[in-house]
């Protein structure tokens, strides 16, 4: 069997695989997952929206989502023990439902992550533009120049060894967490609501806004697939991946639940929903100014800017590895399967992601698209695509262990009960995303039809493409889902 040692992509008629390398530990892996959700952007942007829907039950919403995603992690970690090949949910869906479904899921995931990542340049540009103009009283520079600078920075980092990205993300995340904890402490000490109470509500199934609240909360946990995507680039994956997965879910859940609780205590249980509704965009900044003063609030804006950089870098790393996995299987051009001989990174795939984002930025700049509208559409449509992949992956875990139950000595809780609970939960959240898609992308019914049609069409295009490969290129078809790497690792 031919193997690759010089970083180049192997010939199509061999089953050798280009491989990545890294030395990430549990802490770095958790920080990469946390960076995906951009903590300051979440607490300052998404959380006020969640408070608008759920009011004083927002902390309970985060605890509920944490509990369900911990159940999801049970199946994810259990399956990762038996599937040594990288490829993330692409590999999982292939193993559970077959190569056509796996390829469709991979196309969905790549599209979803590319779109989620593309929210960052426009959001970054608007934030920096306002900071330079209003705070620093600097010149008016078109938004797309800021966006292109961000894309260049993250592409340079993503091109290099994953350990460098992990160090950058860790430093930024420590600073962000410190700022959010500062907000929490001041909020708990200085609550000014009509009733300074430390009590929050738990959500009830009869709450008409529960579905939308869950949808926005689940989006804050996206990215913990990275724990399995980076399998080739972590130390001792059999120990690092389970620890990082559970720690990421619990850590993110408690971190955001605490921040939501701080909002409730500071503003007051009876007032928090109204204030979040009337002052959604500036709720966090106004609270920080009132609690800590303008200087700390301005530091928060700077950290928001670096937070968006960290989020985009995290997304770019995952997107590049999906493209790398698909190219290794020859479902994408072979050039994207190039592993840099020095950095052991998916360097060409990382560059390609940057080029796609640059092209999109130029296109929307020429069209005169409002960047504020752009980042809402990009993040919303990408979130929906990744949510579909998560639902498919949770169902694939159940299908995989049902098909192979005679080969594994795993408990029914891990292989049956936990996956069923996850499928039901993510199925409900996906249903809410479909019903409320216009709110998710902040767009019209026409945009809803266009993006939803395109999203589902992507999955079916991958499905059909797999059958074409099976008929015309059977050697490539056999590679799909990193299945041949699985055989190599087993041997």
């Amino acid at each position: 069997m031919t193997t690759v040692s010089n970083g180049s992509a192997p010939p199509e008629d061999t089953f050798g695989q280009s491989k990545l390398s890294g030395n990430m530990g549990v802490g770095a892996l958790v920080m990469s997952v946390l960076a995906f959700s951009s903590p300051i952007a979440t607490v300052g942007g998404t959380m006020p929206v969640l408070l608008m829907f759920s009011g004083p039950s927002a902390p309970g919403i985060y605890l509920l989502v944490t509990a369900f995603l911990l159940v999801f992690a049970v199946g994810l970690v259990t399956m990762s023990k038996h599937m040594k090949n990288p490829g993330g949910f692409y590999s999982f869906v292939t193993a559970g439902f077959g190569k056509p479904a796996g390829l469709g899921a991979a196309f969905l995931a790549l599209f979803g992550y590319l779109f989620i990542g593309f929210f960052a340049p426009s959001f970054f540009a608007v934030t920096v533009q306002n900071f330079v103009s209003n705070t620093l009283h600097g010149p008016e520079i078109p938004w797309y120049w800021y966006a292109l600078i961000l894309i260049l920075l993250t592409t340079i980092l993503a091109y290099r060894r994953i350990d460098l990205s992990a160090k950058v993300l860790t430093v930024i995340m420590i600073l962000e967490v410190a700022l959010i904890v500062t907000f929490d402490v001041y909020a708990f000490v200085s609550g000014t609501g009509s009733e300074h109470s430390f009590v929050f509500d738990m959500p009830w199934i009869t709450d008409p806004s529960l579905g939308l609240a869950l949808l926005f909360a689940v989006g804050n946990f996206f990215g913990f697939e990275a724990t399995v995507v980076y399998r080739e680039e972590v130390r001792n994956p059999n120990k690092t991946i389970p620890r990082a997965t559970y720690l990421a879910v619990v850590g993110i859940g408690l971190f955001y639940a605490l921040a939501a609780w701080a909002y409730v205590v500071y503003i007051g249980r009876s007032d928090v929903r109204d204030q979040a509704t009337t002052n959604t965009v500036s709720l966090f900044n106004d609270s920080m100014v009132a609690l800590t003063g303008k200087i700390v609030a301005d530091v928060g804006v700077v950290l928001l800017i670096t937070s968006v950089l960290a989020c985009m870098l995290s997304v770019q790393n995952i997107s590049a590895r999906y493209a790398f996995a698909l190219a290794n299987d020859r479902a994408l051009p072979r050039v994207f399967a190039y592993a840099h001989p020095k950095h052991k990174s998916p360097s060409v795939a990382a560059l390609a992601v940057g080029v796609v984002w640059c092209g999109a930025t130029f296109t929307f700049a020429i069209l005169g698209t409002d960047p504020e509208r752009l980042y809402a559409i990009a993040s919303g449509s990408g979130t929906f695509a990744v949510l579909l992949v998560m639902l498919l992956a949770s169902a694939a875990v159940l299908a995989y262990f049902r098909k192979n139950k005679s080969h594994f000595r795993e408990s029914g809780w891990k292989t049956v009960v936990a996956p069923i609970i996850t499928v039901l939960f993510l199925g409900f959240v996906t249903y809410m995303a479909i019903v409320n898609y216009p709110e998710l992308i902040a767009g019209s019914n026409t945009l809803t039809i266009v993006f939803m049609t395109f999203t589902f069409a992507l999955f079916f295009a991958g499905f059909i493409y797999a059958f074409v490969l099976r008929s015309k290129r059977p050697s490539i078809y056999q590679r799909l889902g990193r299945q041949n790497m699985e055989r190599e690792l087993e041997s």
Side-chain angles (χ1 to χ4, degrees):
M1 184 172 291
T2 304
T3 58
V4 178
S5 59
N6 62 358
S8 60
E12 181 181 295
D13 57 351
T14 69
F15 286 103
Q17 303 278 346
S18 298
K19 295 181 182 180
L20 307 177
S21 178
N23 193 38
M24 295 174 70
V26 173
L29 198 51
V30 171
M31 289 299 179
S32 296
V33 176
L34 181 60
F36 191 104
S37 68
S38 185
I40 294 181
T42 294
V43 174
T46 306
M47 200 168 287
V49 176
L50 180 63
L51 289 164
M52 183 173 65
F53 289 128
S54 60
S57 66
I61 292 286
Y62 278 113
L63 294 177
L64 182 65
V65 171
T66 300
F68 276 111
L69 291 183
L70 270 176
V71 176
F72 182 20
V74 170
L76 186 72
V77 167
T78 303
M79 193 160 178
S80 71
K81 290 194 308 182
H82 300 287
M83 293 193 62
K84 307 300 183 182
N85 50 322
F89 290 161
Y90 165 42
S91 299
F92 284 20
V93 176
T94 302
F97 292 127
K99 300 178 189 298
L103 191 56
F107 283 179
L108 264 183
L110 183 56
F111 161 77
Y113 285 126
L114 283 173
F115 262 60
I116 289 176
F118 187 61
F119 106 91
S122 51
F123 184 79
F124 175 89
V126 171
T127 305
V128 175
Q129 197 175 48
N130 290 336
F131 185 71
V132 170
S133 300
N134 300 330
T135 303
L136 302 180
H137 306 292
E140 287 281 350
I141 299 174
W143 71 270
Y144 45 83
W145 290 115
Y146 291 118
L148 291 171
I149 289 171
L150 177 64
I151 295 170
L152 177 62
L153 285 174
T154 59
T155 300
I156 290 172
L157 290 169
Y159 180 89
R160 296 174 63 85
R161 187 177 173 89
I162 189 62
D163 301 351
L164 176 62
S165 292
K167 291 175 182 176
V168 172
L169 294 176
T170 299
V171 171
I172 294 175
M173 286 306 101
I174 290 173
L175 294 174
E176 286 192 61
V177 169
L179 182 75
I180 301 301
V181 170
T182 300
F183 165 72
D184 293 345
V185 171
Y186 273 85
F188 283 120
V189 171
S190 309
T192 59
S194 56
E195 76 291 353
H196 186 41
S197 171
F198 287 89
V199 176
F200 62 84
D201 300 339
M202 287 302 293
W204 294 97
I205 193 66
T206 54
D207 186 342
S209 299
L210 176 62
L212 272 173
L214 287 173
L215 174 60
F216 278 90
V218 167
N220 297 150
F221 290 80
F222 280 5
F224 76 89
E225 181 196 2
T227 57
V228 290
V229 168
Y230 292 131
R231 184 176 185 89
E232 290 178 302
E233 298 162 273
V234 301
R235 296 193 301 266
N236 195 351
N238 288 335
K239 291 183 178 180
T240 299
I241 290 174
R243 292 172 182 174
T245 301
Y246 288 124
L247 186 58
V249 174
V250 173
I252 290 172
L254 295 180
F255 180 71
Y256 287 142
L258 188 63
W261 189 14
Y263 270 119
V264 174
V265 172
Y266 171 63
I267 298 172
R269 291 175 64 249
S270 60
D271 300 325
V272 67
R273 190 191 300 265
D274 290 339
Q275 287 205 30
T277 301
T278 58
N279 191 28
T280 310
V281 175
S282 302
L283 186 66
F284 178 69
N285 187 67
D286 290 350
S287 298
M288 285 296 292
V289 170
L291 289 168
T292 64
K294 192 173 186 305
I295 293 178
V296 176
D298 287 343
V299 170
V301 175
V302 175
L303 288 177
L304 173 60
I305 292 169
T306 58
S307 174
V308 176
L309 184 152
C311 171
M312 185 170 170
L313 176 58
S314 178
V315 178
Q316 188 162 6
N317 279 326
I318 294 177
S319 301
R321 280 151 184 81
Y322 258 101
F324 178 85
L326 286 167
N328 244 321
D329 291 350
R330 304 299 177 267
L332 289 181
R334 289 170 52 194
V335 65
F336 299 130
Y338 178 84
H340 195 282
K342 177 182 179 181
H343 302 303
K344 301 301 180 184
S345 64
S347 51
V348 174
L351 288 174
V353 172
V355 169
V356 169
W357 283 340
C358 282
T361 300
F362 276 119
T363 300
F364 288 115
I366 292 171
L367 294 174
T369 306
D370 181 359
E372 293 189 12
R373 189 182 184 204
L374 187 59
Y375 69 68
I377 293 173
S379 62
S381 55
T383 294
F384 179 64
V386 174
L387 182 60
L388 287 176
V389 177
M390 287 180 66
L391 176 60
L392 283 168
S394 62
V397 172
L398 179 64
Y400 177 76
F401 284 112
R402 292 297 294 169
K403 288 191 301 183
N404 299 281
K405 58 183 178 181
S406 61
H407 295 86
F408 305 121
R409 294 181 179 179
E410 299 285 358
S411 68
W413 159 247
K414 294 180 180 180
T415 61
V416 179
V417 178
I420 288 176
I421 293 173
T422 306
V423 168
L424 293 175
F425 172 68
L426 290 177
F428 173 71
V429 176
T430 302
Y431 168 76
M432 294 307 303
I434 293 172
V435 172
N436 297 283
Y437 197 85
E439 287 81 3
L440 187 64
I441 65 169
S444 64
N445 289 332
T446 301
L447 278 176
T448 295
I449 293 171
V450 169
F451 278 100
M452 284 194 68
T453 301
F454 179 73
T455 301
F456 284 107
L458 265 177
F459 175 75
F460 289 110
F463 209 93
I464 293 169
Y465 182 39
F467 282 108
V468 171
L469 290 175
R470 187 174 71 174
S471 174
K472 305 292 185 182
R473 311 288 288 277
S475 63
I476 295 179
Y477 180 80
Q478 291 302 316
R479 303 171 71 99
L480 296 180
R482 312 303 303 273
Q483 299 301 296
N484 289 289
M485 174 169 272
E486 176 80 4
R487 296 188 191 107
E488 279 188 5
L489 289 166
E490 287 177 348
S491 62

